[in-house]
């Protein structure tokens, strides 16, 4: 189960130790308005998918709130069907969809999950509604 803060589910972008701080700063600056996760992680954590209108607390490396986002879109699709529009909205500076795919595959593989074209992913779109 993912952490709860003040009754809200949380969103932890990336992993602690550098990348999370970078991704949070992009979200807090309004440059990151999307993220992608593995559908299998929802089952592992006994979590349901987010839904439009749901608010999530954005957490830092130490589990402290750094802001609140509101989900504006949720799509489950094979990894190979993630669009350039979604990848670009992640705001991480990828120059192409192929660069985004390579980076995300590498990230998940470093965490121990091999990602194939048919691996189910959850594409979330969000907007920042509260910042410190």
């Amino acid at each position: 189960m993912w952490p709860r803060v003040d009754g809200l589910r949380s969103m932890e972008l990336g992993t602690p130790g550098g990348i999370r701080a970078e991704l949070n700063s992009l979200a807090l600056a309004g440059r990151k308005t999307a993220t992608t996760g593995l559908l299998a992680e929802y089952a592992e954590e006994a979590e349901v998918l987010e839904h439009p209108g749901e608010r999530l607390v954005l957490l830092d490396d130490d589990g402290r709130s750094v802001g609140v986002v509101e989900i504006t879109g949720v799509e489950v699709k094979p990894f190979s069907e993630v669009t350039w529009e979604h990848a670009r909205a992640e705001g991480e500076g990828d120059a192409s969809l192929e660069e985004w795919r390579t980076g995300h595959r590498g990230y998940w593989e470093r965490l121990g999950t091999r990602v194939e074209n048919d691996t189910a992913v959850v594409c979330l779109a969000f907007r920042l509604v509260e910042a410190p």
Side-chain angles (χ1 to χ4, degrees):
M1 186 177 234
W2 293 324
R4 292 343 194 226
V5 177
D6 297 328
L8 298 177
R9 289 198 291 173
S10 63
M11 177 183 280
E12 295 176 295
L13 297 171
T15 52
I19 190 170
R20 180 166 298 153
E22 178 184 336
L23 297 177
N24 281 344
S25 69
L26 291 170
L28 293 171
R31 291 182 44 212
K32 180 174 186 61
T33 59
T35 193
T36 307
L38 299 171
L39 181 61
E41 291 176 350
Y42 287 78
E44 291 168 12
E45 295 289 334
E47 289 287 350
V48 297
L49 291 176
E50 294 83 355
H51 58 83
E54 182 177 8
R55 291 188 173 198
L56 305 172
V57 177
L58 198 58
L59 298 181
D60 69 7
D61 285 352
D62 299 314
R64 291 186 303 255
S65 172
V66 296
V68 176
V69 297
E70 182 178 309
I71 299 298
T72 59
V74 180
E75 290 186 289
V76 177
K77 57 179 64 181
F79 181 74
S80 65
E81 292 181 18
V82 173
T83 66
W84 172 234
E85 290 73 26
H86 177 81
R88 187 175 53 231
E90 287 200 8
E92 298 171 29
D94 294 305
S96 68
L97 185 55
E98 189 55 42
E99 184 177 334
W100 178 89
R101 286 186 176 136
T102 299
H104 278 66
R105 272 194 173 108
Y107 169 78
W108 285 316
E109 287 179 8
R110 285 190 299 279
L111 295 177
T113 302
R114 184 170 172 83
V115 174
E116 304 292 345
N117 283 339
D118 63 349
T119 300
V121 296
V122 180
C123 297
L124 298 175
F126 59 85
R127 67 183 185 90
L128 182 67
V129 295
E130 188 179 310

